[in-house]
Structure formats: C-alpha cells, structure tokens
Coordinates of all heavy atoms in Angstrom, one line a residue:
M135 N -5.3 -2.8 -32.0 CA -5.3 -2.5 -30.6 C -6.6 -3.2 -30.0 O -7.6 -3.2 -30.6 CB -5.4 -1.0 -30.4 CG -5.7 -0.6 -29.0 SD -5.6 1.2 -28.7 CE -7.2 1.7 -29.3
T136 N -6.4 -3.9 -28.9 CA -7.5 -4.5 -28.2 C -8.1 -3.5 -27.2 O -7.4 -2.8 -26.4 CB -7.0 -5.7 -27.4 OG1 -6.3 -6.6 -28.3 CG2 -8.1 -6.4 -26.7
I137 N -9.4 -3.4 -27.3 CA -10.1 -2.5 -26.4 C -10.5 -3.3 -25.1 O -11.1 -4.3 -25.3 CB -11.4 -1.9 -27.1 CG1 -11.0 -1.1 -28.3 CG2 -12.2 -1.0 -26.1 CD1 -12.1 -0.6 -29.1
P138 N -10.2 -2.7 -24.0 CA -10.6 -3.4 -22.7 C -12.1 -3.6 -22.6 O -12.9 -2.7 -23.0 CB -10.1 -2.6 -21.6 CG -9.5 -1.4 -22.2 CD -9.5 -1.5 -23.7
T139 N -12.6 -4.7 -22.0 CA -14.0 -4.9 -21.9 C -14.6 -4.3 -20.7 O -15.8 -4.3 -20.5 CB -14.2 -6.5 -21.8 OG1 -13.5 -7.0 -20.7 CG2 -13.8 -7.1 -23.1
R140 N -13.8 -3.7 -19.8 CA -14.4 -3.0 -18.6 C -13.5 -1.8 -18.3 O -12.3 -1.7 -18.6 CB -14.5 -4.0 -17.4 CG -13.2 -4.4 -16.9 CD -13.4 -5.4 -15.7 NE -12.2 -5.6 -15.0 CZ -12.0 -5.2 -13.8 NH1 -13.0 -4.6 -13.1 NH2 -10.9 -5.4 -13.1
T141 N -14.1 -0.9 -17.6 CA -13.4 0.3 -17.1 C -12.6 -0.1 -15.9 O -13.0 -0.8 -15.0 CB -14.4 1.4 -16.7 OG1 -15.3 1.6 -17.8 CG2 -13.7 2.6 -16.3
P142 N -11.3 0.4 -15.8 CA -10.4 0.1 -14.7 C -11.1 0.7 -13.4 O -11.7 1.8 -13.5 CB -9.1 0.8 -15.0 CG -9.1 1.1 -16.4 CD -10.6 1.2 -16.8
E143 N -11.0 0.0 -12.3 CA -11.6 0.4 -11.1 C -10.5 0.9 -10.1 O -9.4 0.4 -10.3 CB -12.4 -0.7 -10.4 CG -13.6 -1.2 -11.2 CD -14.2 -2.4 -10.7 OE1 -13.8 -2.9 -9.6 OE2 -15.2 -2.9 -11.3
G144 N -10.8 1.7 -9.2 CA -9.9 2.1 -8.2 C -9.6 3.6 -8.3 O -10.4 4.4 -8.9
E145 N -8.5 4.0 -7.8 CA -8.1 5.4 -7.7 C -7.2 5.8 -8.8 O -6.3 5.0 -9.1 CB -7.5 5.7 -6.3 CG -8.3 5.3 -5.1 CD -9.6 6.1 -4.9 OE1 -9.7 7.2 -5.6 OE2 -10.4 5.7 -4.2
T146 N -7.4 6.9 -9.4 CA -6.5 7.4 -10.5 C -5.6 8.5 -10.0 O -6.0 9.3 -9.1 CB -7.3 7.8 -11.7 OG1 -8.2 8.9 -11.3 CG2 -8.1 6.7 -12.3
G147 N -4.4 8.5 -10.5 CA -3.5 9.6 -10.2 C -2.2 9.3 -10.9 O -2.1 8.7 -11.9
R148 N -1.1 9.8 -10.3 CA 0.2 9.7 -10.8 C 1.2 9.1 -9.8 O 1.2 9.5 -8.6 CB 0.8 11.1 -11.3 CG 1.9 11.0 -12.2 CD 2.1 12.3 -12.9 NE 1.0 12.6 -13.9 CZ 1.0 12.0 -15.1 NH1 1.9 11.2 -15.5 NH2 0.0 12.3 -16.0
C149 N 1.9 8.1 -10.2 CA 2.9 7.5 -9.3 C 3.9 8.5 -8.9 O 4.6 9.1 -9.8 CB 3.5 6.2 -10.0 SG 4.8 5.4 -9.0
P150 N 4.2 8.6 -7.6 CA 5.3 9.6 -7.2 C 6.7 9.1 -7.4 O 7.6 9.8 -7.4 CB 5.0 9.7 -5.7 CG 4.4 8.5 -5.3 CD 3.6 8.0 -6.5
I151 N 6.8 7.8 -7.8 CA 8.1 7.2 -8.1 C 8.5 7.3 -9.5 O 9.5 7.8 -10.0 CB 8.2 5.8 -7.5 CG1 8.0 5.9 -6.0 CG2 9.5 5.1 -7.8 CD1 7.7 4.5 -5.3
C152 N 7.6 6.7 -10.4 CA 7.9 6.6 -11.9 C 7.3 7.7 -12.6 O 7.6 7.9 -13.8 CB 7.6 5.2 -12.4 SG 5.8 4.9 -12.5
G153 N 6.2 8.4 -12.1 CA 5.6 9.5 -12.8 C 4.5 9.1 -13.8 O 3.9 9.9 -14.4
Q154 N 4.2 7.8 -13.9 CA 3.2 7.3 -14.8 C 1.8 7.6 -14.3 O 1.5 7.5 -13.1 CB 3.4 5.8 -15.0 CG 4.6 5.4 -15.8 CD 4.6 5.9 -17.2 OE1 3.6 5.7 -17.9 NE2 5.7 6.5 -17.6
A155 N 0.8 7.8 -15.2 CA -0.6 7.9 -14.8 C -1.1 6.5 -14.5 O -0.8 5.6 -15.3 CB -1.4 8.6 -15.9
I156 N -1.7 6.3 -13.4 CA -2.1 5.0 -13.0 C -3.5 5.0 -12.4 O -4.1 6.0 -12.0 CB -1.1 4.4 -11.9 CG1 -1.1 5.3 -10.7 CG2 0.3 4.2 -12.5 CD1 -0.3 4.8 -9.5
T157 N -4.1 3.8 -12.4 CA -5.4 3.5 -11.7 C -5.1 2.2 -10.9 O -4.7 1.2 -11.5 CB -6.5 3.3 -12.7 OG1 -6.7 4.5 -13.5 CG2 -7.8 3.0 -12.0
I158 N -5.2 2.4 -9.6 CA -5.1 1.2 -8.7 C -6.3 1.0 -7.8 O -6.9 2.0 -7.4 CB -3.7 1.2 -8.0 CG1 -3.7 2.4 -7.1 CG2 -2.6 1.2 -8.9 CD1 -2.5 2.5 -6.2
E159 N -6.5 -0.2 -7.3 CA -7.5 -0.5 -6.4 C -6.8 -0.9 -5.1 O -6.3 -2.0 -5.0 CB -8.4 -1.6 -6.8 CG -9.6 -1.8 -5.9 CD -10.7 -2.7 -6.5 OE1 -10.6 -3.0 -7.7 OE2 -11.5 -3.1 -5.8
P160 N -6.7 0.1 -4.1 CA -5.9 -0.2 -2.9 C -6.6 -1.2 -2.0 O -7.8 -1.4 -2.0 CB -5.9 1.2 -2.2 CG -7.0 1.9 -2.7 CD -7.3 1.4 -4.1
S161 N -5.7 -1.9 -1.3 CA -6.2 -2.9 -0.3 C -6.9 -2.2 0.9 O -6.7 -1.0 1.1 CB -5.0 -3.8 0.2 OG -4.2 -3.0 0.9
S162 N -7.6 -3.0 1.7 CA -8.2 -2.5 2.8 C -7.6 -3.2 4.0 O -7.3 -4.4 3.9 CB -9.7 -2.7 2.8 OG -10.4 -2.2 3.9
P163 N -7.3 -2.6 5.2 CA -7.7 -1.3 5.6 C -6.6 -0.2 5.4 O -6.9 1.0 5.5 CB -8.0 -1.5 7.0 CG -7.0 -2.5 7.5 CD -6.8 -3.4 6.3
L164 N -5.4 -0.6 5.1 CA -4.3 0.4 5.0 C -4.2 1.1 3.7 O -3.5 2.1 3.6 CB -3.0 -0.2 5.4 CG -2.9 -0.7 6.9 CD1 -1.5 -1.2 7.2 CD2 -3.3 0.4 7.9
G165 N -4.9 0.7 2.7 CA -4.9 1.4 1.5 C -3.6 1.4 0.7 O -3.1 2.5 0.3
D166 N -3.0 0.2 0.5 CA -1.8 0.2 -0.3 C -2.0 -0.8 -1.5 O -2.9 -1.6 -1.5 CB -0.6 -0.2 0.5 CG -0.8 -1.5 1.2 OD1 -1.8 -2.2 1.0 OD2 0.1 -2.0 2.0
A167 N -1.2 -0.5 -2.5 CA -1.2 -1.4 -3.7 C 0.1 -1.1 -4.5 O 0.6 0.0 -4.4 CB -2.4 -1.1 -4.6
P168 N 0.5 -2.0 -5.3 CA 1.7 -1.8 -6.2 C 1.4 -0.9 -7.4 O 0.2 -1.0 -7.9 CB 2.2 -3.2 -6.6 CG 0.9 -4.0 -6.5 CD 0.1 -3.4 -5.4
C169 N 2.3 -0.1 -7.8 CA 2.1 0.7 -9.0 C 2.2 -0.3 -10.2 O 3.1 -1.1 -10.3 CB 3.3 1.7 -9.1 SG 3.3 2.5 -10.8
P170 N 1.2 -0.2 -11.1 CA 1.2 -1.2 -12.2 C 2.3 -0.9 -13.2 O 2.7 -1.8 -14.0 CB -0.2 -1.0 -12.9 CG -0.7 0.3 -12.4 CD 0.0 0.6 -11.1
A171 N 2.9 0.3 -13.2 CA 4.0 0.6 -14.1 C 5.4 0.2 -13.6 O 6.2 -0.4 -14.3 CB 4.0 2.1 -14.4
C172 N 5.7 0.6 -12.3 CA 7.0 0.3 -11.8 C 7.1 -0.8 -10.7 O 8.2 -1.3 -10.4 CB 7.7 1.6 -11.3 SG 6.9 2.2 -9.8
G173 N 5.9 -1.2 -10.2 CA 5.9 -2.3 -9.2 C 6.1 -1.8 -7.8 O 6.0 -2.6 -6.9
Q174 N 6.4 -0.6 -7.5 CA 6.7 -0.1 -6.2 C 5.4 0.0 -5.4 O 4.3 0.4 -5.9 CB 7.3 1.3 -6.2 CG 8.7 1.3 -6.7 CD 9.7 0.6 -5.8 OE1 9.7 0.8 -4.6 NE2 10.5 -0.3 -6.4
L175 N 5.5 -0.3 -4.1 CA 4.3 -0.2 -3.2 C 3.9 1.2 -3.0 O 4.8 2.0 -2.7 CB 4.6 -0.9 -1.9 CG 3.4 -1.0 -0.9 CD1 2.2 -1.8 -1.5 CD2 3.9 -1.5 0.4
L176 N 2.7 1.5 -3.2 CA 2.2 2.9 -3.0 C 1.1 2.8 -1.9 O 0.4 1.9 -1.8 CB 1.6 3.5 -4.2 CG 2.5 3.6 -5.5 CD1 1.7 4.1 -6.6 CD2 3.7 4.5 -5.1
C177 N 1.0 3.9 -1.1 CA 0.0 4.0 -0.1 C -1.0 5.1 -0.6 O -0.6 6.1 -1.1 CB 0.6 4.4 1.2 SG 1.8 3.2 1.7
V178 N -2.3 4.8 -0.5 CA -3.3 5.7 -1.0 C -3.8 6.5 0.3 O -4.3 5.9 1.2 CB -4.4 5.0 -1.7 CG1 -5.5 5.9 -2.2 CG2 -3.8 4.2 -2.8
L179 N -3.8 7.8 0.1 CA -4.3 8.7 1.2 C -5.5 9.5 0.6 O -5.3 10.2 -0.4 CB -3.2 9.7 1.7 CG -3.6 10.7 2.7 CD1 -4.1 10.0 3.9 CD2 -2.5 11.6 3.0
R180 N -6.7 9.3 1.2 CA -7.9 10.0 0.7 C -8.2 11.1 1.7 O -8.4 10.8 2.9 CB -9.1 9.0 0.6 CG -9.0 8.1 -0.5 CD -10.2 7.2 -0.5 NE -10.0 6.0 -1.3 CZ -9.5 4.9 -0.9 NH1 -9.2 4.8 0.4 NH2 -9.4 3.8 -1.7
I181 N -8.3 12.3 1.3 CA -8.7 13.4 2.2 C -9.9 14.1 1.4 O -9.7 14.8 0.4 CB -7.6 14.4 2.4 CG1 -6.4 13.7 3.0 CG2 -8.0 15.6 3.3 CD1 -5.1 14.5 3.2
G182 N -11.1 13.8 1.9 CA -12.3 14.3 1.2 C -12.3 13.7 -0.2 O -12.3 12.5 -0.3
D183 N -12.4 14.5 -1.2 CA -12.4 14.0 -2.6 C -11.0 13.9 -3.2 O -10.9 13.3 -4.3 CB -13.3 15.0 -3.5 CG -14.7 15.0 -3.1 OD1 -15.2 14.0 -2.5 OD2 -15.4 16.0 -3.4
A184 N -10.0 14.4 -2.6 CA -8.7 14.3 -3.1 C -8.0 13.0 -2.8 O -8.2 12.4 -1.7 CB -7.8 15.5 -2.5
V185 N -7.3 12.5 -3.7 CA -6.5 11.2 -3.5 C -5.0 11.5 -3.8 O -4.7 12.2 -4.8 CB -7.0 10.2 -4.5 CG1 -6.2 8.9 -4.4 CG2 -8.5 9.8 -4.2
R186 N -4.2 11.1 -2.9 CA -2.7 11.2 -3.1 C -2.1 9.8 -3.0 O -2.5 9.0 -2.1 CB -2.1 12.1 -2.0 CG -2.4 13.5 -2.2 CD -1.7 14.4 -1.2 NE -0.3 14.1 -1.2 CZ 0.5 14.5 -0.1 NH1 0.0 15.0 1.0 NH2 1.8 14.2 -0.1
F187 N -1.2 9.5 -3.8 CA -0.3 8.3 -3.7 C 0.9 8.7 -3.0 O 1.6 9.6 -3.4 CB -0.1 7.7 -5.1 CG -1.3 7.3 -5.8 CD1 -1.7 7.9 -7.0 CD2 -2.1 6.3 -5.3 CE1 -2.8 7.5 -7.7 CE2 -3.2 5.9 -6.0 CZ -3.6 6.4 -7.2
L188 N 1.3 7.9 -2.0 CA 2.5 8.2 -1.2 C 3.4 6.9 -1.2 O 2.9 5.8 -1.4 CB 2.1 8.5 0.3 CG 1.1 9.6 0.5 CD1 0.6 9.6 1.9 CD2 1.7 11.0 0.1
R189 N 4.6 7.2 -0.9 CA 5.6 6.1 -0.7 C 5.4 5.6 0.7 O 5.0 6.3 1.6 CB 7.0 6.6 -0.8 CG 7.3 7.2 -2.1 CD 8.7 7.8 -2.1 NE 8.9 8.6 -3.3 CZ 10.1 8.5 -4.1 NH1 11.1 7.8 -3.6 NH2 10.2 9.2 -5.2
P190 N 5.6 4.3 0.9 CA 5.4 3.8 2.3 C 6.2 4.4 3.4 O 5.8 4.3 4.6 CB 5.8 2.3 2.2 CG 5.6 2.0 0.7 CD 5.9 3.3 0.0
N191 N 7.3 5.1 3.1 CA 8.1 5.8 4.1 C 7.8 7.2 4.2 O 8.6 8.0 4.8 CB 9.6 5.5 3.8 CG 10.1 6.0 2.5 OD1 9.3 6.4 1.6 ND2 11.4 5.9 2.3
D192 N 6.7 7.8 3.4 CA 6.4 9.1 3.5 C 6.0 9.5 4.9 O 5.2 8.8 5.5 CB 5.2 9.4 2.5 CG 4.9 10.8 2.3 OD1 4.3 11.4 3.3 OD2 5.2 11.4 1.3
P193 N 6.4 10.7 5.4 CA 6.1 11.1 6.8 C 4.6 11.1 7.0 O 4.1 10.8 8.1 CB 6.7 12.5 6.9 CG 7.8 12.5 5.9 CD 7.4 11.6 4.8
A194 N 3.8 11.5 6.0 CA 2.3 11.6 6.2 C 1.7 10.2 6.4 O 0.9 10.0 7.3 CB 1.6 12.3 5.0
Y195 N 2.2 9.3 5.6 CA 1.7 7.8 5.8 C 2.1 7.3 7.1 O 1.4 6.6 7.9 CB 2.2 7.0 4.6 CG 1.7 5.5 4.7 CD1 0.4 5.2 4.5 CD2 2.6 4.5 5.1 CE1 -0.1 3.9 4.6 CE2 2.1 3.2 5.2 CZ 0.8 2.9 4.9 OH 0.4 1.6 5.0
L196 N 3.4 7.5 7.5 CA 3.9 7.0 8.8 C 3.1 7.6 10.0 O 2.8 6.9 10.9 CB 5.4 7.3 8.9 CG 6.3 6.5 7.9 CD1 7.7 7.0 8.1 CD2 6.1 5.0 8.1
R197 N 2.7 8.8 9.8 CA 1.9 9.5 10.9 C 0.5 8.9 11.0 O 0.0 8.7 12.1 CB 1.8 11.0 10.6 CG 1.3 11.7 11.8 CD 1.5 13.2 11.7 NE 0.8 13.9 12.7 CZ 0.6 15.2 12.7 NH1 1.0 15.9 11.7 NH2 0.0 15.7 13.8
I198 N -0.1 8.5 9.8 CA -1.4 7.9 9.8 C -1.3 6.5 10.5 O -2.1 6.2 11.4 CB -1.9 7.8 8.4 CG1 -2.3 9.1 7.9 CG2 -3.1 6.8 8.4 CD1 -2.6 9.2 6.4
I199 N -0.3 5.8 10.2 CA -0.1 4.4 10.8 C 0.1 4.6 12.4 O -0.5 3.9 13.1 CB 1.1 3.7 10.2 CG1 0.9 3.4 8.8 CG2 1.5 2.5 11.0 CD1 -0.3 2.4 8.5
E200 N 0.9 5.6 12.7 CA 1.1 5.9 14.1 C -0.2 6.2 14.9 O -0.5 5.7 16.0 CB 2.1 7.1 14.3 CG 2.4 7.4 15.7 CD 3.4 8.5 15.8 OE1 4.5 8.4 15.1 OE2 3.1 9.5 16.4
Q201 N -1.1 7.0 14.3 CA -2.4 7.3 14.9 C -3.3 6.1 14.9 O -4.0 5.9 15.9 CB -3.0 8.5 14.1 CG -2.2 9.8 14.2 CD -2.0 10.3 15.6 OE1 -2.9 10.2 16.5 NE2 -0.8 10.8 15.9
L202 N -3.4 5.4 13.8 CA -4.2 4.2 13.8 C -3.7 3.2 14.9 O -4.6 2.6 15.6 CB -4.2 3.5 12.5 CG -5.1 4.1 11.4 CD1 -4.7 3.5 10.0 CD2 -6.5 3.9 11.7
A203 N -2.4 3.0 15.1 CA -1.9 2.1 16.0 C -2.2 2.6 17.4 O -2.6 1.8 18.3 CB -0.4 2.0 15.9
K204 N -2.2 3.9 17.7 CA -2.6 4.5 19.0 C -4.0 4.1 19.3 O -4.3 3.7 20.4 CB -2.4 5.9 19.0 CG -2.5 6.6 20.3 CD -2.3 8.1 20.3 CE -0.9 8.5 19.9 NZ -0.7 9.9 19.9
V205 N -4.9 4.3 18.3 CA -6.3 4.0 18.5 C -6.5 2.5 18.8 O -7.3 2.1 19.6 CB -7.2 4.5 17.3 CG1 -8.6 4.0 17.4 CG2 -7.2 6.0 17.2
A206 N -5.8 1.7 18.0 CA -5.9 0.2 18.1 C -5.2 -0.3 19.3 O -5.4 -1.5 19.7 CB -5.4 -0.5 16.9
G207 N -4.3 0.5 20.0 CA -3.6 0.0 21.1 C -2.5 -1.0 20.8 O -2.2 -1.9 21.6
V208 N -1.8 -0.8 19.6 CA -0.8 -1.8 19.2 C 0.4 -0.9 18.8 O 0.3 0.3 18.6 CB -1.3 -2.7 18.0 CG1 -2.4 -3.6 18.5 CG2 -1.6 -1.9 16.8
D209 N 1.5 -1.6 18.6 CA 2.8 -0.9 18.1 C 2.6 -0.7 16.6 O 2.1 -1.5 15.8 CB 3.9 -1.9 18.3 CG 5.2 -1.3 17.9 OD1 5.7 -0.4 18.6 OD2 5.7 -1.7 16.8
P210 N 3.0 0.6 16.1 CA 2.9 0.9 14.7 C 3.5 -0.2 13.7 O 3.0 -0.5 12.7 CB 3.6 2.2 14.5 CG 3.5 2.8 15.9 CD 3.6 1.7 16.8
E211 N 4.7 -0.7 14.1 CA 5.4 -1.7 13.2 C 4.5 -3.0 13.2 O 4.4 -3.7 12.2 CB 6.8 -2.0 13.7 CG 7.7 -0.9 13.4 CD 7.7 -0.5 12.0 OE1 7.8 -1.3 11.1 OE2 7.7 0.7 11.7
E212 N 3.9 -3.3 14.3 CA 3.1 -4.5 14.4 C 1.8 -4.3 13.5 O 1.4 -5.3 12.8 CB 2.6 -4.7 15.9 CG 1.9 -6.0 16.1 CD 1.5 -6.2 17.6 OE1 1.9 -5.4 18.4 OE2 0.7 -7.1 17.8
L213 N 1.3 -3.1 13.5 CA 0.2 -2.8 12.6 C 0.5 -2.9 11.1 O -0.2 -3.4 10.3 CB -0.4 -1.4 12.9 CG -1.6 -1.0 12.1 CD1 -2.8 -2.0 12.3 CD2 -2.0 0.4 12.5
R214 N 1.7 -2.4 10.8 CA 2.1 -2.4 9.4 C 2.3 -3.9 8.9 O 2.0 -4.2 7.8 CB 3.4 -1.7 9.2 CG 3.2 -0.2 9.3 CD 4.5 0.6 9.0 NE 4.8 0.6 7.6 CZ 5.7 1.3 7.1 NH1 6.5 2.0 7.8 NH2 5.9 1.3 5.7
A215 N 2.8 -4.7 9.8 CA 3.0 -6.1 9.5 C 1.7 -6.9 9.5 O 1.6 -7.9 8.8 CB 4.0 -6.8 10.5
N216 N 0.7 -6.5 10.3 CA -0.5 -7.2 10.4 C -1.7 -6.3 10.4 O -2.3 -6.0 11.5 CB -0.5 -8.1 11.7 CG -1.7 -9.0 11.8 OD1 -2.5 -9.1 10.9 ND2 -1.8 -9.6 12.9
P217 N -2.2 -5.7 9.2 CA -3.2 -4.8 9.2 C -4.6 -5.3 9.7 O -5.5 -4.5 10.1 CB -3.4 -4.4 7.7 CG -2.1 -4.8 7.1 CD -1.6 -6.0 7.9
S218 N -4.7 -6.6 9.8 CA -6.0 -7.2 10.3 C -6.2 -6.8 11.8 O -7.3 -7.0 12.3 CB -6.1 -8.7 10.1 OG -5.1 -9.3 10.9
L219 N -5.2 -6.3 12.5 CA -5.4 -5.8 13.8 C -6.5 -4.7 13.9 O -7.1 -4.4 14.9 CB -4.1 -5.3 14.4 CG -3.0 -6.3 14.6 CD1 -1.7 -5.7 15.0 CD2 -3.5 -7.3 15.7
L220 N -6.7 -4.0 12.7 CA -7.8 -3.0 12.7 C -9.2 -3.5 12.6 O -10.1 -2.8 12.8 CB -7.5 -2.0 11.6 CG -6.3 -1.2 11.6 CD1 -6.1 -0.4 10.4 CD2 -6.3 -0.3 12.9
D221 N -9.3 -4.8 12.4 CA -10.6 -5.4 12.2 C -11.5 -5.3 13.5 O -12.7 -5.3 13.4 CB -10.5 -6.9 11.8 CG -10.0 -7.1 10.4 OD1 -9.9 -6.1 9.7 OD2 -9.6 -8.2 10.1
G222 N -10.8 -5.2 14.6 CA -11.5 -5.1 15.9 C -12.0 -3.7 16.3 O -12.6 -3.5 17.3
L223 N -11.7 -2.7 15.5 CA -12.0 -1.3 15.8 C -13.6 -1.2 15.7 O -14.2 -1.7 14.8 CB -11.4 -0.3 15.0 CG -9.8 -0.3 15.1 CD1 -9.3 0.8 14.1 CD2 -9.4 0.0 16.5
D224 N -14.2 -0.4 16.6 CA -15.6 -0.2 16.5 C -15.8 1.3 16.1 O -14.9 2.0 15.8 CB -16.3 -0.4 17.9 CG -15.7 0.4 19.0 OD1 -15.1 1.5 18.8 OD2 -15.9 0.0 20.2
S225 N -17.1 1.7 16.1 CA -17.4 3.0 15.5 C -16.8 4.1 16.4 O -16.4 5.2 15.9 CB -18.9 3.2 15.4 OG -19.5 3.0 16.6
L226 N -16.7 3.9 17.7 CA -16.1 4.9 18.6 C -14.6 5.1 18.2 O -14.1 6.2 18.3 CB -16.3 4.6 20.0 CG -17.7 4.7 20.5 CD1 -17.8 4.2 22.0 CD2 -18.3 6.1 20.4
D227 N -13.9 4.0 18.0 CA -12.5 4.1 17.6 C -12.4 4.8 16.3 O -11.5 5.6 16.1 CB -11.9 2.6 17.4 CG -11.9 1.9 18.7 OD1 -11.6 2.5 19.7 OD2 -12.1 0.6 18.6
T228 N -13.3 4.6 15.3 CA -13.3 5.3 14.0 C -13.4 6.9 14.3 O -12.7 7.6 13.7 CB -14.3 4.8 13.1 OG1 -14.1 3.4 13.0 CG2 -14.3 5.4 11.8
V229 N -14.4 7.2 15.2 CA -14.6 8.6 15.4 C -13.3 9.2 16.1 O -12.9 10.3 15.8 CB -15.8 8.8 16.4 CG1 -15.9 10.2 17.0 CG2 -17.1 8.4 15.6
E230 N -12.7 8.5 17.0 CA -11.5 9.0 17.7 C -10.4 9.2 16.6 O -9.7 10.2 16.7 CB -11.0 7.9 18.7 CG -9.8 8.4 19.5 CD -9.3 7.3 20.5 OE1 -10.1 6.4 20.8 OE2 -8.2 7.5 21.0
F231 N -10.2 8.2 15.7 CA -9.2 8.4 14.7 C -9.5 9.6 13.8 O -8.7 10.4 13.5 CB -9.1 7.2 13.8 CG -8.2 7.3 12.7 CD1 -6.8 7.4 12.9 CD2 -8.6 7.4 11.4 CE1 -5.9 7.6 11.8 CE2 -7.8 7.6 10.3 CZ -6.4 7.7 10.5
T232 N -10.8 9.8 13.4 CA -11.2 10.9 12.6 C -10.9 12.2 13.3 O -10.4 13.2 12.6 CB -12.7 10.8 12.2 OG1 -12.9 9.5 11.6 CG2 -13.2 11.9 11.3
M233 N -11.2 12.3 14.6 CA -10.9 13.5 15.3 C -9.4 13.8 15.4 O -9.0 14.9 15.2 CB -11.5 13.4 16.7 CG -13.0 13.5 16.7 SD -13.8 13.2 18.3 CE -13.2 14.6 19.2
M234 N -8.6 12.8 15.5 CA -7.1 13.0 15.5 C -6.7 13.5 14.1 O -5.9 14.4 14.1 CB -6.4 11.6 15.7 CG -6.5 11.1 17.1 SD -5.6 9.5 17.1 CE -5.6 9.1 18.8
M235 N -7.3 13.0 13.0 CA -6.9 13.5 11.7 C -7.4 14.9 11.5 O -6.7 15.7 10.9 CB -7.5 12.6 10.6 CG -7.0 11.2 10.6 SD -5.2 11.1 10.4 CE -5.1 11.6 8.8
E236 N -8.5 15.3 12.0 CA -9.0 16.7 11.9 C -8.1 17.7 12.6 O -7.9 18.8 12.2 CB -10.5 16.8 12.4 CG -11.4 16.2 11.4 CD -12.9 16.2 12.0 OE1 -13.1 16.5 13.1 OE2 -13.8 15.8 11.2
E237 N -7.6 17.2 13.8 CA -6.6 18.0 14.6 C -5.3 18.3 13.8 O -4.7 19.3 14.1 CB -6.3 17.4 15.9 CG -7.5 17.5 16.9 CD -7.3 16.7 18.2 OE1 -6.2 16.2 18.3 OE2 -8.3 16.6 18.9
W238 N -5.0 17.4 12.9 CA -3.8 17.6 12.1 C -3.8 18.9 11.3 O -2.8 19.6 11.1 CB -3.8 16.5 11.0 CG -2.7 15.5 11.1 CD1 -1.8 15.4 12.2 CD2 -2.4 14.5 10.2 NE1 -0.9 14.4 11.9 CE2 -1.3 13.8 10.8 CE3 -2.9 14.1 9.0 CZ2 -0.7 12.8 10.1 CZ3 -2.3 13.0 8.4 CH2 -1.2 12.4 8.9
D239 N -5.0 19.3 10.8 CA -5.1 20.5 9.9 C -5.1 21.8 10.7 O -5.0 22.8 10.1 CB -6.4 20.4 9.1 CG -6.4 19.2 8.1 OD1 -5.3 18.8 7.7 OD2 -7.5 18.7 7.7
E240 N -5.3 21.7 12.0 CA -5.4 22.9 12.8 C -4.0 23.5 13.2 O -3.0 22.9 13.1 CB -6.2 22.6 14.1 CG -7.6 22.3 13.8 CD -8.4 21.9 15.0 OE1 -7.8 21.8 16.1 OE2 -9.6 21.7 14.9

C-alpha cells in the first residue's frame, strides 16, 4: 500500500448520490466540485461549522443561487453559467446576502 505524502484538503462528508465518504475542495465562488467516487457534480453548502453536499438541483442550492442572483442583479441561470459575475460584489452586497440567508431560518 502506498501512503499519500499529504493530507487531503477540502471538505469531508458523504456523497448524497453514491454514499461514499469523500473529501473535496470546492470551487469558488459557487462551491461546487465533482464527487471523486462517482463523478457527479456536488454543491457544497456551509452553514456555520456544518458542511452539506447537495445535488445541483437541490431546492436549497437553487434558492441560494436565486438569492445571490438577486443581490448581483442578474438572472439565476446566467449566474449558474457564469459564476464570475459575483466578482463585482462588494462588502455591502455580501452583508445583504448574509441577511437574506439569516431570514431563511426565521
């Protein structure tokens, strides 16, 4: 058996599709990456210290994209196709998005 020379980086959890324990490093800014076991695209949702892996069509992920698109002033499908549209957001936009997410829990 070959011992890896470094510790895997990224988020650890379980793939909701194949059920395998995985560690992935999600892309920025939308937080998606393929499952190393089955290859399906997963979306990473961080809430505080908790991490959840979601399918790209999961209602929670779609709602996040919808809220981000609203803050950025673009169409949600346009944002999914071109995540770099979020590069222009400033700190006030980030606060607005955070407040929207906090209202979710109420």
Side-chain angles (χ1 to χ4, degrees):
M135 175 171 79
T136 304
I137 298 172
T139 58
R140 67 183 194 113
T141 304
E143 297 173 0
E145 305 294 345
T146 58
R148 195 160 291 279
C149 175
I151 298 168
C152 68
Q154 294 292 314
I156 58 173
T157 300
I158 60 176
E159 189 169 348
S161 66
S162 179
L164 295 183
D166 57 2
C169 170
C172 68
Q174 291 293 314
L175 182 64
L176 300 177
C177 303
V178 180
L179 176 61
R180 290 182 197 88
I181 301 173
D183 292 335
V185 175
R186 287 185 51 203
F187 295 118
L188 306 170
R189 298 171 190 227
N191 60 352
D192 187 287
Y195 180 72
L196 294 175
R197 190 166 175 194
I198 289 168
I199 295 296
E200 183 179 305
Q201 296 300 322
L202 280 170
K204 189 181 294 184
V205 170
V208 298
D209 182 74
E211 289 305 313
E212 187 179 353
L213 179 59
R214 288 182 79 173
N216 187 7
S218 65
L219 292 171
L220 295 176
D221 292 345
L223 296 183
D224 60 21
S225 59
L226 291 176
D227 294 325
T228 304
V229 169
E230 182 180 351
F231 175 70
T232 303
M233 290 173 63
M234 286 178 175
M235 295 303 292
E236 288 174 352
E237 290 173 4
W238 245 9
D239 295 334
E240 296 175 356

